[in-house]
């Protein structure tokens, strides 16, 4: 691994990054598979419904929603188009800002989320939390929270 | 968050999972953007070239490669098609196993990897490692290694 040495990275540093990537992808696939099989609902759709449900008035500006669900603005637009056709989400203009646009959770969306929620949360339990040893949730949580704060734009 | 309570998940548990997801996606996008701008090379392509370069004889069976780069077998097949057209990777039949197929790094692929490597490794440094506090690499590395082992199929 002479490239690593040239760039001043240790094998441990590269391994930690690769393991983080692998763990995240594995859990995400587990959640996606469980949601699709049980509810025919992609994980990205679940994430949108869940973020809207948590927001005051069950609504978020499109930009805020995009930041929370880790999608590009164009990716979110396409996803909201689909959710709107399924009547799970509605679009509403923002009264105080002519350029603003809200995504709003509909009653049907809230129902769909309530059906899928237990599957999602159980997936986090079995695919992630159950694999942590004693004290590890706090340890990894502390490190991740620091990373998240220091990376925030 | 009554759904959380119903399913026996704490807010901390959900938050740690969401933060892991966000950190991973953010670093991945950082790497992807850097590689595209500087080398017109998607991150998934970089990962394939790097895994092949590390393997004995610069070759891996398609199934082993798919597992390492976190792609489905069909996703990897499409990616290898593209890399083969660019002459960065070649396919070779496996002498000892009629069903086996290898992906092999070409000299052009090794050159392309050598060009892009510093950008990738610098991206891990600036997008991830530089954001860790003292001792945090070891702490998160230990927890992730345990998760990875316990999740292995």
């Amino acid at each position: 691994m002479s490239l690593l040495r040239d760039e001043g990275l240790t094998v441990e540093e590269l391994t930690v990054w690769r393991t983080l990537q692998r763990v995240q992808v594995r859990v995400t696939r587990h959640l996606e598979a469980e949601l699709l099989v049980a509810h025919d609902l992609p994980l990205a759709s679940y994430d949108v419904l869940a973020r809207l449900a948590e927001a005051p008035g069950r609504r978020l500006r499109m930009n805020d929603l995009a930041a929370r669900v880790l999608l590009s603005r164009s990716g979110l637009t396409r996803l909201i188009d689909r959710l709107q056709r399924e009547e799970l989400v509605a679009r509403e203009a923002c009264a105080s800002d002519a350029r603003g646009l809200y995504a709003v959770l509909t009653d049907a969306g809230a129902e769909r989320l309530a059906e899928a929620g237990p599957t999602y949360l159980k997936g986090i339990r079995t695919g992630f939390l159950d694999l942590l040893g004693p004290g590890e949730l706090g340890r990894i949580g502390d490190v991740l929270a620091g990373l998240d704060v220091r990376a925030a734009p």
Side-chain angles (χ1 to χ4, degrees), chain A:
Chain A
M1 309 270 266
S2 60
L3 183 60
L4 280 180
R5 209 164 42 234
D6 294 348
E7 297 302 317
L9 239 71
T10 66
V11 172
E12 183 194 7
E13 288 175 327
L14 182 61
T15 301
V16 170
W17 159 246
R18 282 185 170 176
T19 311
L20 175 67
Q21 196 179 18
R22 190 161 53 238
V23 165
Q24 194 275 344
V25 170
R26 199 185 272 139
V27 179
T28 297
R29 285 194 186 163
H30 174 69
L31 292 173
E32 174 97 9
E34 299 282 313
L35 285 170
L36 282 174
V37 166
H39 307 282
D40 194 24
L41 190 69
L43 178 59
S45 301
Y46 180 88
D47 275 339
V48 164
L49 301 182
R51 295 300 179 146
L52 291 176
E54 291 165 15
R58 305 201 309 199
R59 74 187 55 215
L60 283 169
R61 276 174 205 269
M62 290 289 281
N63 283 337
D64 295 337
L65 182 56
R68 286 178 210 207
V69 296
L70 308 165
L71 284 175
S72 65
R73 181 63 202 258
S74 62
L76 179 64
T77 296
R78 283 193 300 272
L79 180 53
I80 293 288
D81 286 344
R82 200 161 69 223
L83 293 171
Q84 197 171 13
R85 281 197 300 274
E86 296 176 39
E87 300 183 352
L88 303 176
V89 168
R91 279 187 170 92
E92 275 180 25
C94 170
S96 61
D97 174 1
R99 295 161 311 165
L101 199 63
Y102 281 101
V104 188
L105 189 68
T106 65
D107 288 341
E111 251 176 65
R112 192 78 190 278
L113 177 68
E115 286 163 19
T119 300
Y120 176 81
L121 296 173
K122 188 167 161 246
I124 294 177
R125 171 71 63 209
T126 58
F128 178 60
L129 299 169
D130 281 352
L131 307 177
L132 289 166
E136 290 191 336
L137 181 73
R139 277 210 294 287
I140 194 172
D142 286 346
V143 178
L144 289 169
L147 274 173
D148 193 35
V149 166
R150 290 189 287 270

